[in-house]
């Protein structure tokens, strides 16, 4: 296993009177696709917001390639970390191409202009996200799924060693979900990048990810390889549901079969 790209130590965060995260320790390595899993409201999105430098924790520290994130400017973080969120809104009528090009802004000098390389990366990202035919359309006039693919393309164009996905495929159809997660997995494996994704669908996560990090009540309940952590015992402990875990003979991935009615009443 490679050295940590991102390292969280003793992370705690309180919103109002509620302690959302409680002493989180976690390591995220290059060449690994990590999944953050857990019930609603356990702090998954808060964790990745702190991980990406969008918020500061109340206690603890996060380092990016060994440097505390708090000591890095937003521009320096953006050169190394790209984020795709399900809740991001684009309120102005930029074209789809302009939104994707925003992913190149951290790499362009303040008074500089985009290079041929910048345009090439943006064009490649639009092709991967299947939105080239929408390039000149205002992003405010495309469908929700097309807008989400535009934001995904922007992150791919950013071309960072770290990619964070906060339920980034929740608005996508099956075809584009599988296609874009396949692209992320390929970049992780071939280019030794680090990907961290918040998932609601455990089976989708199991199909693409290498390591699972389960949160429960603001704490890291279970963390390890998919084989180690995706077990009936973990699903009962974290989610309170009874299920069987099967291994696909073709892909080798684990899949969960839930039992109807098999949950805490």
């Amino acid at each position: 296993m490679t050295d940590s790209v991102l390292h969280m130590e003793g992370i705690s965060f309180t919103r109002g009177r509620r302690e959302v995260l409680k002493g989180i320790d976690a390591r995220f390595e290059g060449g690994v696709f990590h999944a953050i899993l857990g019930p609603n409201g356990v702090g998954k999105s808060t964790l990745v917001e702190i991980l990406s430098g969008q918020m500061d924790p109340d206690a603890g520290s996060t380092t990016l390639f060994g440097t505390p994130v708090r000591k890095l400017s937003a521009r320096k973080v953006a050169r190394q970390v790209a984020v795709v969120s399900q809740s991001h809104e684009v309120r102005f009528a930029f074209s789809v191409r302009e939104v994707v090009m925003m992913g190149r802004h951290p790499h362009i000098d303040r008074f500089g202009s985009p290079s041929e390389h910048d345009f090439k990366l943006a064009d490649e990202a639009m092709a991967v996200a299947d939105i080239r035919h929408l390039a000149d359309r205002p992003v405010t006039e495309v469908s929700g799924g097309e807008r989400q693919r535009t934001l995904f393309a922007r992150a791919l164009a950013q071309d960072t060693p770290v990619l964070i996905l906060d339920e980034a495929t929740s608005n996508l159809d099956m075809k584009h979900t599988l296609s874009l997660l396949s692209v992320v997995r390929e970049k992780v494996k071939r280019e030794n990048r680090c990907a961290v994704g918040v998932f609601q669908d455990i089976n989708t996560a199991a199909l693409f990810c290498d390591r699972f990090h389960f949160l429960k009540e603001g704490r890291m309940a279970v963390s390890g390889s998919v084989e180690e952590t995706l077990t009936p015992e973990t699903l009962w402990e974290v989610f309170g549901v009874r299920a069987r875990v099967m291994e696909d003979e073709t892909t080798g991935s684990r899949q969960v079969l839930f039992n109807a009615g098999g949950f805490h009443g």
Side-chain angles (χ1 to χ4, degrees), residues 19-36:
E19 193 176 10
V20 180
L21 298 177
K22 308 170 185 178
I24 296 290
D25 294 325
R27 294 179 179 272
F28 304 94
E29 302 87 4
V32 180
F33 197 164
H34 299 263
I36 307 294

Side-chain angles (χ1 to χ4, degrees), residues 203-209 226-227 230 245-256:
N203 285 332
T204 299
L207 188 60
F208 293 98
C209 297
V226 175
E227 293 75 20
L230 187 52
V245 178
M246 310 292 289
E247 185 169 312
D248 189 297
E249 294 181 359
T250 303
T251 65
S253 66
R254 292 197 163 196
Q255 297 290 284
V256 178

Side-chain angles (χ1 to χ4, degrees), residues 253-265:
S253 66
R254 292 197 163 196
Q255 297 290 284
V256 178
L257 301 177
F258 294 100
N259 301 333
F263 50 86
H264 283 303

Side-chain angles (χ1 to χ4, degrees), residues 73-254:
S73 67
R75 184 180 182 84
K76 287 183 177 180
V77 172
R79 287 176 174 173
Q80 299 183 80
V81 181
V83 180
V84 187
S85 172
Q86 64 163 336
S87 59
H88 185 84
E89 294 184 14
V90 180
R91 302 181 182 221
F92 300 99
F94 295 108
S95 71
V96 165
R97 178 183 284 108
E98 287 173 326
V99 173
V100 176
M101 277 299 297
M102 291 175 187
R104 299 305 305 154
H105 288 180
H107 305 283
I108 301 171
D109 292 338
R110 185 175 180 183
F111 299 107
S113 299
S115 66
E116 289 186 12
H117 179 65
D118 295 318
F119 286 115
K120 179 176 180 290
L121 287 177
D123 190 64
E124 289 174 350
M126 286 192 292
V128 165
D130 190 23
I131 55 170
R132 290 182 69 179
H133 61 293
L134 303 172
D136 297 320
R137 290 267 302 277
V139 73
T140 51
E141 296 180 11
V142 301
S143 72
E146 290 167 339
R147 184 160 50 251
Q148 190 66 16
R149 278 152 44 206
T150 299
L151 298 176
F152 217 115
R154 182 183 65 179
L156 293 176
Q158 204 167 328
D159 196 31
T160 54
V162 181
L163 180 61
I164 293 179
L165 311 175
D166 187 3
E167 296 188 40
T169 61
S170 59
N171 295 324
L172 300 183
D173 57 39
M174 184 181 299
K175 173 186 174 181
H176 290 105
T177 293
L178 297 175
S179 173
L180 288 171
L181 290 178
S182 293
V183 169
V184 173
R185 181 167 176 82
E186 183 176 357
K187 285 183 175 293
V188 166
K189 296 305 175 186
R190 291 192 178 183
E191 302 171 18
N192 201 42
R193 304 202 188 195
C194 174
V196 182
V198 173
F199 289 87
Q200 289 292 350
D201 187 334
I202 292 178
N203 285 332
T204 299
L207 188 60
F208 293 98
C209 297
D210 307 294
R211 292 182 67 79
F212 277 2
H213 307 269
F214 286 95
L215 294 181
K216 180 183 179 182
E217 298 176 352
R219 300 185 186 278
M220 190 66 73
V222 180
S223 184
S225 70
V226 175
E227 293 75 20
E228 293 170 334
T229 61
L230 187 52
T231 65
E233 292 77 17
T234 296
L235 296 173
W236 179 253
E237 175 188 348
V238 175
F239 295 98
V241 297
R242 296 199 184 281
R244 287 186 295 158
V245 178
M246 310 292 289
E247 185 169 312
D248 189 297
E249 294 181 359
T250 303
T251 65
S253 66
R254 292 197 163 196

